[in-house]
Amino acid sequence: MSLLEIKNAKLKLDDKDILKGLSLSVNSGEVHAIMGPNGSGKSTLSYMLAGRDGYELESGEVFLEGQSLSDMEADERARSGLFLAFQYPVELPGVGGMSFLREAVNSRRKFLGEEELDHLAFVKEARKVASKMFVKDEMLKRAVNVGFSGGEKKRFEILQMAMLKPKVSILDETDSGLDVDALKIVSDGVNAQRNDENAIVVITHYQRLLDYIVPDFVHILSDGIIIKSGGPELALEVEKNGYAGLINAA
Amino acid sequence: MVATQETIDKVKEVSSTYKYGFVTDLEAEKAPLGLSEDIVKFISHKKKEPKWLLEWRLKAYKKWLSMEAPNWAMVDFPKINFQDIYYYSAPKTKPKLNSLDEVDPELLRTYEKLGIPIKEQEVLAGVAVDYVFDSVSVATTFREKLAKEGIIFCPISEAVQSHPDLVKKYIGSVIPISDNYYAALNSAVFTDGSFVYIPKDVKCPMELSTYFRINEQNSGQFERTLIIAEDNTYVSYLEGCTAPQRDENQLHAAVVELVAMNNAEIKYSTVQNWYPGDKDGKGGIYNFVTKRGNCLGKKSKISWTQVETGSAITWKYPSCVLKGDDSVGEFYSVAVANNAQQADTGTKMIHIGKNTKSTIISKGISAGKAQNTYRGQVQIQKNAKGSRNFTQCDSLLIGDKCGAHTVPYINQFTPHARVEHEATTSKISEDQLFYCLQRGLDTEQATSLIVNGFCKEVMKELPMEFAVEAQKLIGISLEGSVG
Ligand SMILES: Nc1ncnc2c1ncn2[C@@H]1O[C@H](COP(=O)(O)OP(=O)(O)OP(=O)(O)O)[C@@H](O)[C@H]1O
Ligand SMILES: [Mg+2]
């Protein structure tokens, strides 16, 4: 089944065309990788999907599990199972990680008609997931992303993903800023969540990540459209030859 | 001011009675409209007060007549007509409703969000309940427990009768009648409030007033509180209630005096949620409060914590006079102003003794078209060598029509002291909001979380049970301010 369907998406920012008719179809159980030069519109695509203010489509449409997203606010989309791991996670001074996560998880559970977790049950669950991701309990007590190192921030994003159990996850350059060991831990964390019911879209500049999180499809995004799609071998080609050849051919 | 016929009649009636030396009990439930010497006498008589107190009130009244309403605060409101206020009415019983179904749904929604149990909701909303509310018996039990320790905790009007020496010695000792316009007014016409006395070497075994929050509601618009902590004592006092409080009296002018002897510690926490008025500020409460604590003893400590979310206008500067050597003053404040609310609040730390220490943490949150001012004075007097002050004032703006102002006054009369002041202004960023929304939180949850994060340093000073409610309250008072 198609979990995420993007049809001919066009979007302007400040009167500048950024997405120029982008289409993509992601089925359950699949992992897609999106690669593309700086400024090609990858983060814009992720913000558009997540429903950020100012990133409304000019034309085209997006469906999550067959439901059109056009009338859904960012928080409704999130509760419906759309997750975005931010390229630049945002600091929330004074907001404890544990209470933040708990509100997030309970919002999602409420949406799913599941019982909300009380404090104790939640802490137990969070600790379990955290230990799998080698995230120290201490980090959950700190204010969200405040003073976290670049790598810690990314790890915390994936921890949230694991807690929220989304249908569709978009990981925007989750690998950037990670050391070798962290890259493996984070990838393991993502892989552990792969199943037949969900789908993952990873945005990355580096083929290396795709050795760990092996995609079913690789797409090349250039200047607001997907110029080429293929299997994992496409990423190797990019690694070797850069984007120029692909862009010229398109 | 044109006196109404009613006033003229009542005053005549009252003053003729007074001539005969208070022989007959006055039947009137309410004093006539307006303020005069006779009204002051009326109140004192109603409360069967001793002569010294009546004289004290009259002195205050005369002083008040000679004073002008202050206009230095950054608040703006039409001139108050003091002749258009009732200064005394017999303890009110609220109009009784038959069930919660008759209560304003808006109010119920707020109670629910605050997590107030149904039974308490009924009492708060004035539903006639046939069971005796628990807190009545709880109150009695606790009073007995306190009495065993020698602690006096009762309405100040009762203390005037039962412990006149203590009241006489300390009332006005921290805030003299001439201190300011509203304090003078309060001294002349105060109706009731709390009295607390902690005898030497006693640590008060419970937070005072938690259990009384429902029963203590009708203390009136001119509340007067006096807390005395003798040597080696500790007491934590909670004032107010997170549940929204409506009151037909627009002007509230309370006075709170604290006295701490050697090694005594008083922790005074307030949650103020008086009716702020409608979106344009119409009908809200004017909250003009004078609060001050004297750290008389060595190593004494007074700590003010306040969460101010209500009232149309707040004018309030809980202060500490640090007389005792090594004494400590603290002020932790969260002031939320939304819509048309105006808050001008802060503190004064007056360092007199040696090695005295004060800490000021103020968090101001403005939304809508609200104006929020921190006004603080730190004074280090000549002999206060080795004293230190640290002040941190943070302002958070929500939207771009509101304002935040920081007005620090520092007077340092000795070089042997250290005063530090830090101030920041920030906004809830679009990035932060989007990040929260992307995790499934709605705008209100997100705002509440971010704002509570901003206030964390202050919230953690509140007693636990208060803190949880206060957190929710902050969220509720900002509803609709974002997005
Ligand atoms: N508010 C804005 N107004 C105008 N242009 C914008 C705005 N925000 C982003 N852009 C432009 O849109 C283009 C796409 O940006 P985007 O962040 O989506 O790129 P990206 O593919 O994620 O790049 P990177 O690999 O560097 O993360 C860029 O040229 C950027 O400058
Ligand atoms: Mg990007």
Short mmCIF file of all heavy atoms in Angstrom, two decimals, chain A residues 54-76:
data_model
loop_
_atom_site.label_atom_id
_atom_site.label_comp_id
_atom_site.label_asym_id
_atom_site.label_seq_id
_atom_site.Cartn_x
_atom_site.Cartn_y
_atom_site.Cartn_z
N GLY A 54 4.04 28.44 6.03
CA GLY A 54 4.79 29.09 4.97
C GLY A 54 5.27 28.12 3.90
O GLY A 54 5.83 28.52 2.90
N TYR A 55 5.05 26.82 4.14
CA TYR A 55 5.50 25.82 3.18
C TYR A 55 4.30 25.13 2.51
O TYR A 55 4.34 23.96 2.20
CB TYR A 55 6.41 24.79 3.85
CG TYR A 55 7.78 25.36 4.17
CD1 TYR A 55 7.96 26.20 5.26
CD2 TYR A 55 8.88 25.07 3.37
CE1 TYR A 55 9.20 26.74 5.55
CE2 TYR A 55 10.13 25.59 3.66
CZ TYR A 55 10.28 26.43 4.75
OH TYR A 55 11.51 26.97 5.03
N GLU A 56 3.23 25.91 2.32
CA GLU A 56 2.04 25.34 1.69
C GLU A 56 2.29 25.18 0.20
O GLU A 56 2.99 25.99 -0.42
CB GLU A 56 0.83 26.27 1.92
CG GLU A 56 0.34 26.34 3.36
CD GLU A 56 1.19 27.26 4.24
OE1 GLU A 56 1.95 28.08 3.68
OE2 GLU A 56 1.11 27.14 5.48
N LEU A 57 1.70 24.15 -0.34
CA LEU A 57 1.87 23.89 -1.77
C LEU A 57 1.13 24.92 -2.61
O LEU A 57 0.05 25.37 -2.24
CB LEU A 57 1.32 22.50 -2.11
CG LEU A 57 2.18 21.30 -1.75
CD1 LEU A 57 1.49 20.02 -2.17
CD2 LEU A 57 3.55 21.41 -2.41
N GLU A 58 1.74 25.25 -3.72
CA GLU A 58 1.07 26.13 -4.66
C GLU A 58 0.14 25.29 -5.52
O GLU A 58 -0.98 25.68 -5.82
CB GLU A 58 2.13 26.81 -5.52
CG GLU A 58 1.64 28.04 -6.19
CD GLU A 58 2.70 28.53 -7.16
OE1 GLU A 58 3.70 27.82 -7.39
OE2 GLU A 58 2.50 29.62 -7.69
N SER A 59 0.63 24.14 -5.91
CA SER A 59 -0.25 23.17 -6.58
C SER A 59 0.30 21.78 -6.32
O SER A 59 1.41 21.62 -5.82
CB SER A 59 -0.33 23.47 -8.08
OG SER A 59 0.94 23.22 -8.66
N GLY A 60 -0.49 20.78 -6.69
CA GLY A 60 -0.11 19.41 -6.40
C GLY A 60 -0.75 18.96 -5.10
O GLY A 60 -1.44 19.74 -4.43
N GLU A 61 -0.51 17.71 -4.75
CA GLU A 61 -1.15 17.19 -3.55
C GLU A 61 -0.30 16.11 -2.89
O GLU A 61 0.53 15.47 -3.54
CB GLU A 61 -2.54 16.64 -3.89
CG GLU A 61 -3.48 16.81 -2.72
CD GLU A 61 -4.95 16.65 -3.08
OE1 GLU A 61 -5.28 16.39 -4.25
OE2 GLU A 61 -5.76 16.78 -2.14
N VAL A 62 -0.53 15.95 -1.57
CA VAL A 62 0.20 14.92 -0.84
C VAL A 62 -0.79 14.08 -0.05
O VAL A 62 -1.73 14.61 0.54
CB VAL A 62 1.22 15.55 0.15
CG1 VAL A 62 1.97 14.45 0.90
CG2 VAL A 62 2.20 16.45 -0.56
N PHE A 63 -0.60 12.77 -0.07
CA PHE A 63 -1.47 11.87 0.67
C PHE A 63 -0.67 11.03 1.65
O PHE A 63 0.40 10.50 1.32
CB PHE A 63 -2.21 10.92 -0.29
CG PHE A 63 -3.09 11.65 -1.27
CD1 PHE A 63 -2.58 12.07 -2.50
CD2 PHE A 63 -4.42 11.92 -0.97
CE1 PHE A 63 -3.37 12.74 -3.41
CE2 PHE A 63 -5.22 12.59 -1.88
CZ PHE A 63 -4.70 13.02 -3.10
N LEU A 64 -1.19 10.93 2.87
CA LEU A 64 -0.59 10.04 3.87
C LEU A 64 -1.61 8.93 4.11
O LEU A 64 -2.74 9.20 4.52
CB LEU A 64 -0.33 10.82 5.16
CG LEU A 64 0.31 10.06 6.32
CD1 LEU A 64 1.76 9.72 6.03
CD2 LEU A 64 0.21 10.86 7.61
N GLU A 65 -1.22 7.73 3.83
CA GLU A 65 -2.15 6.59 3.92
C GLU A 65 -3.47 6.89 3.20
O GLU A 65 -4.54 6.64 3.73
CB GLU A 65 -2.46 6.24 5.37
CG GLU A 65 -1.27 5.66 6.11
CD GLU A 65 -1.68 5.06 7.45
OE1 GLU A 65 -1.74 5.80 8.45
OE2 GLU A 65 -1.96 3.85 7.47
N GLY A 66 -3.36 7.50 2.05
CA GLY A 66 -4.55 7.77 1.24
C GLY A 66 -5.32 9.02 1.63
O GLY A 66 -6.24 9.44 0.95
N GLN A 67 -4.90 9.65 2.75
CA GLN A 67 -5.62 10.84 3.20
C GLN A 67 -4.87 12.10 2.77
O GLN A 67 -3.66 12.21 2.99
CB GLN A 67 -5.74 10.80 4.72
CG GLN A 67 -6.65 11.89 5.25
CD GLN A 67 -6.67 11.90 6.78
OE1 GLN A 67 -5.92 11.19 7.43
NE2 GLN A 67 -7.52 12.75 7.33
N SER A 68 -5.59 13.03 2.18
CA SER A 68 -4.94 14.25 1.71
C SER A 68 -4.46 15.08 2.90
O SER A 68 -5.16 15.25 3.89
CB SER A 68 -5.91 15.08 0.88
OG SER A 68 -5.34 16.37 0.69
N LEU A 69 -3.25 15.60 2.78
CA LEU A 69 -2.69 16.39 3.89
C LEU A 69 -3.03 17.87 3.78
O LEU A 69 -2.73 18.64 4.68
CB LEU A 69 -1.17 16.23 3.92
CG LEU A 69 -0.61 14.86 4.34
CD1 LEU A 69 0.91 14.93 4.39
CD2 LEU A 69 -1.17 14.43 5.68
N SER A 70 -3.66 18.26 2.69
CA SER A 70 -3.77 19.69 2.42
C SER A 70 -4.52 20.46 3.51
O SER A 70 -4.20 21.61 3.76
CB SER A 70 -4.40 19.94 1.05
OG SER A 70 -5.61 19.23 0.95
N ASP A 71 -5.47 19.84 4.17
CA ASP A 71 -6.19 20.57 5.21
C ASP A 71 -5.70 20.25 6.61
O ASP A 71 -6.34 20.61 7.60
CB ASP A 71 -7.69 20.25 5.13
CG ASP A 71 -8.30 20.86 3.88
OD1 ASP A 71 -7.78 21.91 3.44
OD2 ASP A 71 -9.27 20.29 3.36
N MET A 72 -4.60 19.54 6.70
CA MET A 72 -4.13 19.14 8.03
C MET A 72 -2.99 20.01 8.53
O MET A 72 -2.03 20.26 7.82
CB MET A 72 -3.70 17.67 8.02
CG MET A 72 -4.89 16.71 8.02
SD MET A 72 -4.37 15.04 7.60
CE MET A 72 -3.64 14.53 9.15
N GLU A 73 -3.11 20.45 9.79
CA GLU A 73 -2.05 21.24 10.40
C GLU A 73 -0.87 20.33 10.75
O GLU A 73 -1.01 19.11 10.81
CB GLU A 73 -2.55 21.89 11.70
CG GLU A 73 -3.69 22.88 11.51
CD GLU A 73 -3.25 24.15 10.80
OE1 GLU A 73 -2.04 24.46 10.81
OE2 GLU A 73 -4.13 24.83 10.23
N ALA A 74 0.24 20.97 11.04
CA ALA A 74 1.47 20.22 11.33
C ALA A 74 1.26 19.21 12.47
O ALA A 74 1.72 18.07 12.39
CB ALA A 74 2.59 21.19 11.69
N ASP A 75 0.56 19.64 13.53
CA ASP A 75 0.43 18.73 14.67
C ASP A 75 -0.49 17.55 14.35
O ASP A 75 -0.24 16.43 14.80
CB ASP A 75 -0.03 19.48 15.92
CG ASP A 75 -1.29 20.30 15.70
OD1 ASP A 75 -1.49 20.80 14.58
OD2 ASP A 75 -2.07 20.45 16.66
N GLU A 76 -1.52 17.79 13.53
CA GLU A 76 -2.39 16.68 13.13
C GLU A 76 -1.63 15.67 12.29
O GLU A 76 -1.79 14.46 12.45
CB GLU A 76 -3.56 17.20 12.28
CG GLU A 76 -4.58 18.04 13.01
CD GLU A 76 -5.60 18.58 12.01
OE1 GLU A 76 -6.58 17.87 11.73
OE2 GLU A 76 -5.37 19.69 11.50
#
